[in-house]
Amino acid sequence: MSDRSVDKGGSATGRLSVFKTYKLYVGGKFPRSESGRVYEVSDSKGNWLANAPLSSRKDARDAVVAARKAFGGWAGATAYNRGQILYRVAEMLEGRRDQFVREVADAEGLSKSKAAAVVDAAIDRWVWYAGWTDKIAQVVGGANPVAGPYFNLSTPEPTGVVTVVAPQDSSFLGLVSVIAPVIATGNTAVVIASEKSPLPALSLGEVLATSDLPGGVVNILSGKAAEMGPHLAAHQDVNAIDLTGATEGDLARELEIAAADNLKRVLRPRTEDFTESPGTDRMTAFLETKTVWHPTGSLGASGSSY
């Protein structure tokens, strides 16, 4: 006979809690840190919440490999398809809303009602960016007036693999606000989650894995930005870096210097209120403009383009 008693309602009493094991999200899978290290994550009052993986440089390299492998397919997908997938992410977040409300409340010391407002804003932010995937090209691209018998067309293209240092104090709304615009425009991302509040980010990986997003498009690491950041900033296969969360000491300056070695595009830290309308700045920050010349009239008979 079981040593656990069962009350008249049929529920077991005195059972042990099943603690959640948080893992990294790399290449669509959930590895533990290659180093085997973990660190304690506490709530706003200092109470233990969980052990999070302490990512190593090897984990960061694996994430870059996964992001590069996924880039071609994701950048080549239609903007409409990317929008559908981002909307699906919002759907999945809505279904797990209560979990994220608890995690955000613990991480940021918010009441349940305030945490719910933050989670709702984050879900709405996903929907907002989903709607922009097939519109941003019309806003920042188009036909250019030129003298001569030519069409001159400018179109935006994704930069490539983007390292994102997530905000430290906005564990979920800020996180969504820096990830969604990167992937909405066809880039892939290696994300360093908030060191002190990584749990919402690691749970987001579980949502992304079940929302039709191809593996490797977003890769989420937890641990120390000061340890992984310099390696990622100098990595020859990383094309851009968002330094939003690099606010500790001279970390932003150190990463920007490391990124200069291979001419990365850098988005510098700035004071932001993530509750405000985000605008298009974060989408255009990691887009490159390609201009095509095409002859018209009799010159266009051959169908040549330049």
Side-chain angles (χ1 to χ4, degrees):
M1 184 175 179
S2 172
D3 59 355
R4 291 188 295 174
S5 61
V6 180
D7 62 21
K8 294 182 179 179
S11 62
T13 60
R15 64 184 296 270
L16 296 175
S17 298
V18 179
F19 291 106
K20 183 176 177 63
T21 302
Y22 288 89
K23 298 181 181 179
L24 308 177
Y25 181 57
V26 176
K29 299 179 180 179
F30 298 95
R32 292 177 170 85
S33 172
E34 173 273 339
S35 67
R37 300 176 301 172
V38 297
Y39 70 101
E40 292 187 1
V41 178
S42 302
D43 64 16
S44 59
K45 298 180 180 178
N47 299 312
W48 180 88
L49 291 174
N51 290 332
L54 185 59
S55 301
S56 67
R57 290 176 55 175
K58 175 63 165 58
D59 295 316
R61 289 197 298 271
D62 290 344
V64 174
V65 169
R68 176 57 62 191
K69 184 177 180 181
F71 175 68
W74 184 244
T78 65
Y80 177 72
N81 181 241
R82 288 199 298 267
Q84 286 183 309
I85 292 174
L86 261 68
Y87 186 82
R88 176 64 173 163
V89 172
E91 288 181 345
M92 300 298 290
L93 286 173
E94 187 77 29
R96 297 178 63 165
R97 179 178 178 274
D98 290 346
Q99 174 193 345
F100 282 99
V101 168
R102 290 194 301 272
E103 289 184 342
V104 171
D106 288 337
E108 301 181 23
L110 302 177
S111 66
K112 184 176 180 179
S113 60
K114 289 183 178 179
V118 168
V119 172
D120 290 344
I123 296 171
D124 292 346
R125 188 66 45 87
W126 273 111
V127 175
W128 192 86
Y129 278 114
W132 267 103
T133 57
D134 59 356
K135 301 174 181 65
I136 190 66
Q138 283 70 44
V139 173
V140 300
N144 307 310
V146 295
Y150 301 97
F151 289 119
N152 182 261
L153 306 173
S154 293
T155 58
E157 292 188 343
T159 297
V161 175
V162 181
T163 290
V164 178
V165 185
Q168 295 300 306
D169 297 321
S170 185
S171 64
F172 194 54
L173 177 56
L175 175 77
V176 167
S177 298
V178 296
I179 295 177
V182 169
I183 64 172
T185 48
N187 298 288
T188 54
V190 176
V191 182
I192 303 176
S194 166
E195 180 178 347
K196 68 177 183 178
S197 304
L199 303 188
L202 297 178
S203 291
L204 178 62
E206 298 173 2
V207 171
L208 299 178
T210 55
S211 60
D212 303 327
L213 188 75
V217 172
V218 175
N219 305 274
I220 301 175
L221 306 171
S222 58
K224 299 181 180 295
E227 179 178 344
M228 292 178 284
H231 176 66
L232 288 168
H235 199 296
Q236 296 295 308
D237 211 20
V238 172
N239 305 109
I241 186 166
D242 180 349
L243 299 177
T244 296
T247 55
E248 181 181 343
D250 294 326
L251 181 59
R253 181 174 179 273
E254 180 184 351
L255 298 187
E256 189 168 359
I257 292 173
D261 285 343
N262 64 340
L263 302 177
K264 284 183 177 60
R265 178 169 286 207
V266 176
L267 184 62
R268 296 175 176 85
R270 56 190 179 185
T271 302
E272 292 184 75
D273 181 355
F274 292 109
T275 63
E276 295 182 353
S277 177
T280 60
D281 289 355
R282 284 191 170 276
M283 286 184 284
T284 58
F286 301 116
L287 286 173
E288 308 289 345
T289 300
K290 180 177 74 174
T291 300
V292 177
W293 294 76
H294 196 290
T296 62
S298 59
L299 292 176
S302 65
S304 300
S305 62
Y306 302 91

